[in-house]
Amino acid sequence: MRELIDCHLHTEACGHASGTVAQMVSAAVFAGLTGIVMTEHLPLPADLDPGEYLSPKAEQFSRYAQEVRGMAERVKGVDVVLGAEADWLPWRMEDTDAQLLLAREAGVDIILGSVHSLDGWVFDDPTDTSEWDRRDVDAVWVQYFERWCDAAQSGHFDVMAHPDLPKKFGHRPSFDTAELFAGAAQAAADAGVLIEVSTAGLRKPVGELYPGPELLAAFRQAGVDITVGSDAHEPGDVGRDILVAYDAAAAAGYGRVAFPLGQGEVRWVEL
Ligand code: ZN
Ligand code: FE
Ligand code: FE
């Protein structure tokens, strides 16, 4: 039997998820997982999270980190790693740096790098997708991957999360993406980051893993290693569809996925 891991999990601390740290860890044990990385969002500045539902406050994040560290010491049977999901905000580098500083101070071992917004537009926010109707979808994809490549190469992130997130609501580019994807894969290879195969897309309108088969094949071709995550925002989704991700990875030619432990160390899970 293949070892099951889940390297992308949230908690109620962020304001748009349910489940305490303890409940998420219990769900992992119940699902038979042998390793999890808790990856709560890092706090965003107030003007970028005016509804206070995108990210936790600094003190909530600190409490989360403390609870995860406690679980990592106490819980048997599942390895618990303290991680966080950071937003790449290149037009607000001081706020990107503030997230990373807070993560460092909290003793976070694994940082997921995510591009959720372009110059303040949170394009993956399900509560308001109207801006998509005003945008040129092709231009969004091109700009997104420019930002994504910069993030991958910034040296700040261990793992790049949900790499083709702009497809979330079904917005697909009209052009041939081969070159775009090859460029992203090369950027990841040069940077030495891991890529997350995320099962969250299966639960979204797009109904597909992030990355989709073409982009995953491009990563494989470039020799980029992968990890897996559900991006669960509730206990019931912990470990969800991880075997689907494993099968997609194997189909793309991967023989193993990484369970990241921090300080560049990984435990390999054979597929
Ligand atoms: Zn979230
Ligand atoms: Fe995310
Ligand atoms: Fe997430």
Side-chain angles (χ1 to χ4, degrees):
M1 228 191 61
R2 291 175 290 184
E3 184 188 342
L4 286 172
I5 59 171
D6 189 338
C7 307
H8 190 156
L9 299 170
H10 294 277
T11 72
E12 63 187 16
C14 65
H16 60 268
S18 64
T20 61
V21 170
Q23 286 168 335
M24 297 303 274
V25 173
S26 299
V29 172
F30 188 71
L33 306 188
T34 54
I36 57 171
V37 186
M38 297 299 302
T39 54
E40 188 53 282
H41 296 281
L42 281 158
L44 289 168
D47 67 303
L48 294 181
D49 184 13
E52 296 189 358
Y53 60 80
L54 295 175
S55 67
K57 299 231 185 299
E59 55 276 17
Q60 290 171 309
F61 186 86
S62 302
R63 198 176 325 127
Y64 148 85
Q66 213 175 345
E67 286 173 13
V68 173
R69 275 199 304 269
M71 284 286 159
E73 279 173 26
R74 281 201 307 280
V75 176
K76 304 273 171 272
V78 58
D79 293 322
V80 179
V81 173
L82 173 58
E85 179 173 13
D87 271 79
W88 178 244
L89 311 167
W91 75 101
R92 297 267 297 251
M93 265 323 281
E94 68 281 10
D95 294 312
T96 308
D97 293 341
Q99 293 176 71
L100 298 166
L101 179 65
L102 187 78
R104 230 185 347 263
E105 286 172 351
V108 167
D109 283 316
I110 296 297
I111 304 211
L112 303 188
S114 296
V115 179
H116 299 113
S117 58
L118 297 170
D119 302 329
W121 170 40
V122 184
F123 64 84
D124 83 319
D125 184 351
T127 66
D128 183 10
T129 59
S130 62
E131 180 64 14
W132 273 105
D133 303 331
R134 294 186 279 273
R135 297 274 180 145
D136 178 86
V137 171
D138 288 356
V140 172
W141 275 75
V142 169
Q143 193 192 15
Y144 169 85
F145 271 102
E146 277 171 17
R147 297 290 170 88
W148 188 92
C149 290
D150 290 344
Q153 299 199 296
S154 69
H156 291 311
F157 307 121
D158 302 289
V159 181
M160 292 303 293
H162 41 60
D164 50 0
L165 186 60
K167 73 183 179 184
K168 178 173 179 175
F169 305 115
H171 301 94
R172 302 273 194 178
S174 65
F175 57 89
D176 180 355
T177 50
E179 211 177 304
L180 190 70
F181 289 175
Q186 195 54 52
D190 292 345
V193 290
L194 291 167
I195 295 297
E196 170 190 59
V197 177
S198 168
T199 67
L202 296 170
R203 312 190 295 275
K204 299 291 157 32
V206 68
E208 186 181 279
L209 295 168
Y210 307 113
E214 278 173 58
L215 182 54
L216 184 57
F219 286 128
R220 171 71 188 145
Q221 180 124 34
V224 180
D225 281 310
I226 53 170
T227 181
V228 289
S230 67
D231 205 351
H233 281 68
E234 55 184 281
D237 282 340
V238 176
R240 186 115 174 240
D241 297 322
I242 292 299
L243 288 173
V244 176
Y246 284 176
D247 288 344
Y254 282 97
R256 62 183 191 177
V257 301
F259 179 61
L261 300 164
Q263 279 83 44
E265 276 183 63
V266 303
R267 184 169 90 220
W268 293 108
V269 173
E270 302 300 321
L271 294 176

